[in-house]
Every structure is written in C-alpha cells, then in structure tokens.
Amino acid sequence: MAKHNFHAIALLFMVAMSSIVARGNNIFVGAYYGSEGNNLPPPWKVVQLCEKYNIRRIRFNEPNLDILEQFRGTNIEVSFSVPGELIINQATNQTAVEEWFVKYVVPFIGEFTINYIVVGDKVIPGLDDNILPVMRSLQDLLNSRYLGQVKITTMVGLTALGVQSPPSSGAFDPNVLENMKGILKFLWGQGSPLMLSLYPYDAYAYTGYTNNISLGYATFTSQTEQNPPIRIDGNLYYKNVFDDMVDAFHAAIDKACAGDVAIAIGETGWPTEGNYGAGPSLALTYNLNFKNHITSGKGTPMKPNIYIEGFIRSLFNENEKPEGESQFYGMFHVDSTPIYPSVFD
Ligand SMILES: *[C@@H]1O[C@H](CO)[C@@H](O)[C@H](O)[C@H]1NC(C)=O
Ligand SMILES: *[C@@H]1O[C@H](CO)[C@@H](O)[C@H](O)[C@H]1NC(C)=O
C-alpha cells in the first residue's frame, strides 16, 4: 500500500515536473495571430483562448487598437509590426514615427510586455533602404522612455538570400547586402535577433521532389540519434530542413556582420488542408517538433547550444488569404476549439 502511494506520488511529481518543463517552453514559443479572415472571433475571445491554452506570446502584423486594448493587464507578451505602407514615409519623417509610437506603444507601457516591434514583414528586398532609419528612430523613442527591453527587428524570408544551399555557403542577395550590413550592425548593437519567416513545408511541398526533401527531413522525424544525417555539409550534419535553412542565414549573417546576431523565427507552421502534404496530423507533428527543437537548447549544427525563439503560424485559418494552403495554417477553429491537440499545453 505504502509502496503504491509512493509510486502514485512519484508519478504525480513527474507529471507536475514535466508540465512545468513543457510550460517553460512556452516562454520561447508563441503564436502568430493573423487577421486576414472575415469570420474571426473578437479579440477578447482570442485573449481567452491564449489564457486557456497557455499561449504566452502573440505576434501580429499591423497593430490594431481594438486588439491591443484586450491585452491590457494580461501576462501575455505581444509583438507587432510597423506595416510596409508606413515605412517609406517614416524613413524620412520623424514626426510620422513619433505619431505611430504615441498611438500604438505609449498607451500600453506597463500594461503588457512588448517583445518585438518588427519594422517590415518580408519587405527586403523591396523597402531595404527604408528599414534602418525607422529602426533607429524607434530605438531612440524607446530609449527616451527607458524601454530597452523592447526589441526592434525586421522579418526576412529566403528571398533575402542569394545563396541558400549548402547552408555554409549561405549569403544575402548582393542587391540587399549593403542594407543588410547596416541592419545587422544595428541588431548586434542592440542585442536584437534578426527575425525569419521560414517554411520547411514549402521546401517539402514545392521543391521536395527536385531537391530530395523527404517528409521526415521536413517534419523533424528523421531527427533521432540513430538516424544518419540526411545532408552533410563539410563537418555539419543535418537531420532536418529547419536547421538547414536557419544555418544558411547564420552563414549569411557571419559574412555580412562582424558581430554575432541571433535568429528568431517570426513565423513557421504547417497547413491542415489545401495542398499536397497538408493535414492536421502532420501539422501537429511539425509544430510540436519545431517547438521541442528550438526550446531544447541544442541550437543548429552551425550554432549549437542556443535557444531559439519562435512563433507558430497561426491561431486561426484565414479565409481572405490567397487560395490554397495559405488559408489553412490555423491551429484553432474560429470557435476557439483546437483543430488538432494544442502544442502549447
Ligand atoms: C510627416 O508625417 C506626418 C504624419 O504622418 C504628415 O502629416 C506630414 O505631412 C509628413 N511630413 C512630410 C514632410 O512628409
Ligand atoms: C535522397 O535522400 C536520401 C536520404 O534521405 C538518400 O538516401 C538518397 O541517396 C538521396 N537521393 C538523391 C538522388 O540524392
């Protein structure tokens, strides 16, 4: 009997510990909250959903006062972007940056933690000349209010790279290189990461056949000690596409910047329908493995022993996105029930 009790207590203890560890993971991983849908729940329900499923971090694109108001007084950390349409004016107009800051940042100081202000969402190449001036203006405004913990960054995707493969040869597109050098120097000086938009799903679904990318390589299921590496790049051994892509950026950063700039994943995910390889069970597998991988502290073959922060796209399906799988990255139905078991609890 006593032995039984002991086992029961030990088991309870282990369950409690594992839930602490699992919950601890949520410090590094949040959800992207896309809003390109006409049937999405109201923001107050979204806050309830985050609290119910222990989603501790949220990132959305364009800030919206109705949404921001709902996060007042919560423990949920929030990130948002300066939208591309405002960046060109803001780059040469300090007043415009100040107005934006006074509207979207100042009212919420002390109300919730702002993790990142993302100056431009995949606008390099494109607005590359305009990003750094806006970053600097915002940083000055943050500094003037002693808000050094808010990090300024920008988000780029693979289109910012000229060379992606093999990872060690990763390099920025020569057309964006000079601007990226300035941006990276700024990020390094502030201790901010570069934010990436990365989709191993796309690598699998769109180039898997030509580039020999298996489902296991894309979803991290080839990532076991016993399995041989799938790609060997010099002395770097790869067992998942994610590391392969991230290290292409690490190589590009190392070539463009003398200092060490970390990487954060602004968006990644796996669709549940709409194209080849989409489905709820693969979405669960990918997202859970992604979360466990970046929070394991293992880093990547090129930069081992680091934690990586990330956001999983998306809370909900977005029916106003372009047709196809883009509409189906949601983890939750619009009635806030999970499409597949939540990876956050
Ligand atoms: C700067 O931006 C403000 C606010 O967006 C606008 O009213 C003003 O006309 C702009 N100034 C110039 C010189 O473009
Ligand atoms: C494709 O990758 C597998 C390992 O995942 C490897 O065994 C095979 O040789 C590769 N094929 C080609 C054509 O590279």
Side-chain angles (χ1 to χ4, degrees), residues 32 35 60-64 67 80-83 85-86 100 104:
Y32 171 67
S35 56
F60 39 86
N61 270 342
E62 191 162 345
N64 163 323
I67 294 178
F80 49 87
S81 300
V82 180
E85 346 37 295
L86 301 183
W100 186 90
Y104 295 113

Side-chain angles (χ1 to χ4, degrees), residues 287-306:
N287 287 336
L288 198 55
N289 288 342
F290 164 73
K291 178 187 169 192
N292 291 338
H293 184 65
I294 67 169
T295 60
S296 68
K298 284 189 188 146
T300 64
M302 203 179 285
K303 304 268 173 184
N305 307 321
I306 51 169

Side-chain angles (χ1 to χ4, degrees), residues 91 154 159 212 242:
T154 184
T159 51
N212 194 19
F242 174 81

Side-chain angles (χ1 to χ4, degrees), residues 76-119:
I76 301 166
E77 303 182 352
V78 174
S79 298
F80 49 87
S81 300
V82 180
E85 346 37 295
L86 301 183
I87 288 173
I88 294 178
N89 178 33
Q90 289 191 357
T92 55
N93 185 338
Q94 180 71 32
T95 310
V97 182
E98 271 171 32
E99 279 179 4
W100 186 90
F101 186 81
V102 164
K103 184 165 179 191
Y104 295 113
V105 178
V106 172
F108 305 105
I109 293 173
E111 296 292 328
F112 51 75
T113 299
I114 300 175
N115 286 138
Y116 294 107
I117 297 176
V118 184
V119 181

Side-chain angles (χ1 to χ4, degrees), residues 12 68 79 90 104-105 156 177 198 219 236 254 301 307 311:
L12 269 176
L68 289 170
S79 298
Q90 289 191 357
Y104 295 113
V105 178
V156 298
L177 181 60
L198 278 192
T219 59
L236 305 172
D254 286 348
Y307 293 92
F311 293 89

